Amino acid sequence: MNIPARVAATLPLLASPLLPFSSLSLQSFCSLISHHRVRKLGLVPTVQSRRLRRCVEEKMAWSLEKCDAGVETELGVVRPATGAHTEEAVEALRAGKVIAVPTDTLYGFACDACSLEAVNRIYEIKGRKHTSPLAICVGDVPDLKRFAATEHLPHGLLENLLPGPVTLVLNRGESSILEKSLNPGLDSIGVRVPDCNFIRDIARRLGSALALTSANLSGQPSSVSIKDFENLWEHCAYVYNGGVLPSGRAGSTVVDLTRLGKYKILRPGSAKEETVAILEMHSLEEEGAAT
């Protein structure tokens, strides 16, 4: 894979005429970057520098994939998942439309959680029964208390778990401003604060919660790239491309925190061990575990 001239021209390291960037491979480029940083810091190449190189390679592959401009195809409108398109996404959500977005785990379909029409649209796209609940996503941890009851949780627990690849099932509570039409008949709600700036910024600017579910047909494998759900693009106002997500297809870890002092893992997901460690650090006990 070669570095495009338009990308290379913006990078100072490639400004030297000694470096023919038009023929420089991604691997060679990343190697130069990491070596340059190590030399600049006065460090001797070690295992740590090799880790740095791998990290740079992964981030460069991610960045280069997102350099592509937005395109309109017969299948749908695809945009890069960057801040330049945040306001566009918010306008679509306010109009009751569905968008596809990357998170820190999988690609998801998102809409305004307070729009019954948009929520119904997500169910139609996925071919999903309305009895299967949708989770919500908010921009920041303090926003959770607007939609769910958090007073019974140990101090600092939410901040230690979120943002991250975890879905917390909480009681809505009497003070929740969440529409009753979302997951009717259920007193609890799954809430997320993904470790992904793009979707969090969208939620912040919308000023509400996003209804969020995986971008796939119900019962089909989850999506780690936009190609995985290409057949569903046409149903979205916009498809935002964040590259191939590195977390695998396990999705978020789902944990029930509705009971005081207890937790229950409902889906292991991609962060079970880390999640359990944090829960137990805050003296929560697993529901049903022998004492």
Side-chain angles (χ1 to χ4, degrees), residues 53-180:
R53 185 181 303 114
R54 287 198 300 271
C55 180
V56 172
E57 289 173 358
E58 291 171 359
K59 290 184 178 180
M60 280 304 304
W62 180 285
S63 299
L64 291 172
E65 183 146 6
K66 292 197 293 183
C67 284
D68 295 334
V71 294
E72 297 187 20
T73 71
E74 293 181 357
L75 298 176
V77 181
V78 180
R79 299 276 196 260
T82 63
H85 299 286
T86 301
E87 195 58 40
E88 167 192 79
V90 172
E91 290 177 3
L93 293 171
R94 286 175 177 161
K97 298 179 180 180
V98 174
I99 61 175
V101 290
T103 72
D104 53 351
T105 53
L106 305 167
Y107 276 86
F109 292 133
C111 72
D112 184 348
C114 294
S115 170
L116 178 58
E117 179 182 356
V119 169
N120 287 336
R121 183 62 176 152
I122 281 186
Y123 280 105
E124 292 173 4
I125 294 172
K126 287 180 66 71
R128 186 176 185 177
K129 296 180 180 180
H130 282 68
T131 52
S132 299
L134 298 179
I136 63 170
C137 163
V138 297
D140 296 289
V141 173
D143 297 331
L144 292 177
K145 62 184 179 182
R146 299 172 57 203
F147 303 96
T150 61
E151 298 84 0
H152 66 294
L153 299 177
H155 178 73
L157 174 64
L158 292 176
E159 289 76 10
N160 285 337
L161 288 172
L162 303 170
V166 184
T167 299
L168 306 181
V169 177
L170 299 167
N171 289 315
R172 296 196 189 200
E174 296 181 0
S175 61
S176 174
I177 66 171
L178 199 62
E179 286 288 323
K180 301 296 185 183

Side-chain angles (χ1 to χ4, degrees), residues 35-61:
H35 180 69
H36 171 74
R37 290 181 177 176
V38 170
R39 290 292 299 276
K40 185 176 180 180
L41 293 172
L43 302 176
V44 178
T46 62
V47 172
Q48 193 70 15
S49 68
R50 289 195 293 273
R51 290 176 181 170
L52 173 63
R53 185 181 303 114
R54 287 198 300 271
C55 180
V56 172
E57 289 173 358
E58 291 171 359
K59 290 184 178 180
M60 280 304 304

Side-chain angles (χ1 to χ4, degrees), residues 256-264 284-288 291:
D256 186 335
L257 294 177
T258 56
R259 294 188 59 193
L260 178 65
K262 301 288 185 179
Y263 76 88
K264 183 177 182 179
L284 269 66
E285 298 179 356
E286 184 175 8
E287 188 175 339
T291 57

Side-chain angles (χ1 to χ4, degrees), residues 241-289:
N241 186 11
V244 177
L245 305 183
S247 62
R249 300 181 190 272
S252 63
T253 294
V254 182
V255 56
D256 186 335
L257 294 177
T258 56
R259 294 188 59 193
L260 178 65
K262 301 288 185 179
Y263 76 88
K264 183 177 182 179
I265 300 297
L266 302 181
R267 183 177 72 188
S270 59
K272 178 184 175 182
E273 292 183 3
E274 299 90 329
T275 300
V276 169
I278 293 172
L279 295 170
E280 295 183 349
M281 180 181 70
H282 285 272
S283 301
L284 269 66
E285 298 179 356
E286 184 175 8
E287 188 175 339

